Structures are given as C-alpha cells and as structure tokens.
C-alpha cells in the first residue's frame, strides 16, 4: 500500500509515523533532507525513512526505487506528493508530483489518497505549536495506477480526489481561505522591538 498524502512538514511526517505505528503498520515515509537539520535527518534515518535530496535528480529517482523496494518487502509507503509544506496561495493544493504514480506502477500497490489537515485556531497565539491542537486524517478510496494509461493524467485525477477531500474537510470545519489571504497564522510577537 502507498499513502499519497497532502502537506509535508516534519510535524506531519512524524505524526504519520506515530499513527501508523499505533495501528501496527510497518512504514517508510519519503522524506526530503534538503530542508532538514542533521538531528531531524538522523531521526528519520533511524525510523527507516526513505531519504532524498529534492535538488538532486539522481537522489530523487533513487528514492522512488528505494521506497518501491520497501513496499515490495511488505512496508506501507508514505509519500507527500506536493513535495512542500507550504499551502498554495490560491489553489487547494500544489501540483502533485509523479513519484507516487511511478511507485505504484513499480509495485502494483494501490494508492490511498490521504489528507492530513491541521485545524488551526483563529485567534492570536504565542507559540506555533498552539496551531497543532487538532488534526484530521482522512483516507480516500484506494486508486489503482496502470501503465496502459498516461501517468500524468492518473496523477491529476489523484490530485482532484485529494482536493475534493481537503475542500470537504475545510467546509465541515469552518476553515476559511480566500485566495492568498489566510485568516490563521496570526502570531503575537514574543518581544516588542522599538
């Protein structure tokens, strides 16, 4: 099984490991090391993450084969298809990369569209960790990717499914995003500078 998930912050990656471990599911999460410090990289390596450097095409390609081999060996793979932790300023999601579709073809695994959505508090806060009080994890209907159809089109269909899932979560939980204006992420300064 391959979970194609939205968002990709370290918090999301760690939460995915914790949630799947509680379910007794052996997992390898694909993690980009080009934005991590040495401590985080070491922790993910110790957890059998599939590491890559997004700036290096060879590393990116090798990570696809490495995660595929772990899936064939029985692990559940997790890939964050947007390859960023930033919300798109206008669209529901950044474009999903082809990695999940390539892995699914290599392994005959189904892709489970997965949305990890932190519901943020709409008031001022002093610490960013206050944002992460509530997370919704939604698993969609498994999708099969085939070699006899265009991978880009199949990936776009996966993205549309994930966008609908995210939009429903936002609607159900009163999340308001209007183009590039976010009504959350309002931070109080810890000290005033004059």
């Amino acid at each position: 099984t391959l979970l194609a998930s939205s968002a990709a912050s370290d918090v999301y990656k760690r939460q995915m490991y914790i949630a799947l471990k509680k379910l007794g599911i052996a997992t390898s999460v694909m993690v980009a090391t080009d934005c991590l410090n040495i401590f985080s990289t070491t922790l993910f390596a110790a957890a059998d993450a599939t590491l890559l450097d997004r700036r290096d095409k060879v590393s990116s390609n090798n990570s696809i084969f490495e995660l595929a081999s772990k899936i064939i060996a029985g692990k559940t793979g997790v890939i964050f298809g947007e390859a960023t932790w930033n919300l798109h300023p206008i669209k529901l999601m950044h474009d999903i990369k082809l990695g999940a579709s390539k892995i699914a073809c290599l392994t005959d695994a189904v892709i489970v569209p997965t949305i990890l959505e932190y519901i943020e508090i709409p008031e001022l806060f002093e610490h960013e960790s206050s944002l992460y009080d509530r997370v919704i994890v939604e698993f969609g209907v498994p999708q099969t990717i085939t070699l006899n159809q265009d991978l880009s089109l199949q990936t776009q269909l996966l993205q549309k499914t994930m966008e609908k899932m995210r939009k429903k979560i936002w609607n159900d939980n009163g999340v308001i995003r209007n183009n590039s204006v976010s009504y959350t992420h309002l931070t109080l300064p810890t000290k005033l500078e004059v």
Side-chain angles (χ1 to χ4, degrees), residues 8-21:
S9 77
D10 290 349
V11 173
Y12 285 35
K13 293 171 193 167
R14 284 190 291 269
Q15 292 300 326
M16 185 64 81
Y17 264 118
I18 291 167
L20 293 173
K21 184 176 182 179

Side-chain angles (χ1 to χ4, degrees), residues 54-89:
R54 293 174 294 192
R55 302 165 296 186
D56 179 2
K57 192 75 168 165
V58 172
S59 174
S60 294
N61 286 334
N62 287 344
S63 68
I64 289 171
F65 291 110
E66 182 182 344
L67 187 55
S69 69
K70 291 176 181 180
I71 291 169
I72 291 168
K75 289 198 171 196
T76 293
V78 179
I79 186 169
F80 295 87
E82 294 176 274
T84 182
W85 58 73
N86 299 313
L87 290 174
H88 194 282

Side-chain angles (χ1 to χ4, degrees), residues 84-131:
T84 182
W85 58 73
N86 299 313
L87 290 174
H88 194 282
I90 298 171
K91 300 185 332 183
L92 287 167
M93 297 178 68
H94 287 275
D95 291 339
I96 292 179
K97 310 294 184 245
L98 292 174
S101 295
K102 290 177 181 178
I103 292 168
C105 285
L106 289 168
T107 62
D108 288 328
V110 295
I111 296 178
V112 179
T114 307
I115 300 294
L116 292 169
E117 194 69 39
Y118 282 92
I119 305 301
E120 301 167 358
I121 57 173
E123 56 266 345
L124 296 174
F125 59 89
E126 290 186 28
H127 302 284
E128 187 178 7
S129 62
S130 300
L131 279 173

Side-chain angles (χ1 to χ4, degrees), residues 141-152:
V141 175
Q143 298 188 8
T144 302
I145 304 295
T146 62
L147 284 171
N148 62 358
Q149 295 179 16
D150 184 280
L151 283 185
S152 295

Side-chain angles (χ1 to χ4, degrees), residues 12 22 35-36 103 112 118 138 146 153 161-162 175:
Y12 285 35
K22 285 183 179 183
C35 60
L36 297 179
I103 292 168
V112 179
Y118 282 92
E138 183 170 329
T146 62
L153 292 176
T161 298
M162 292 174 72
V175 175

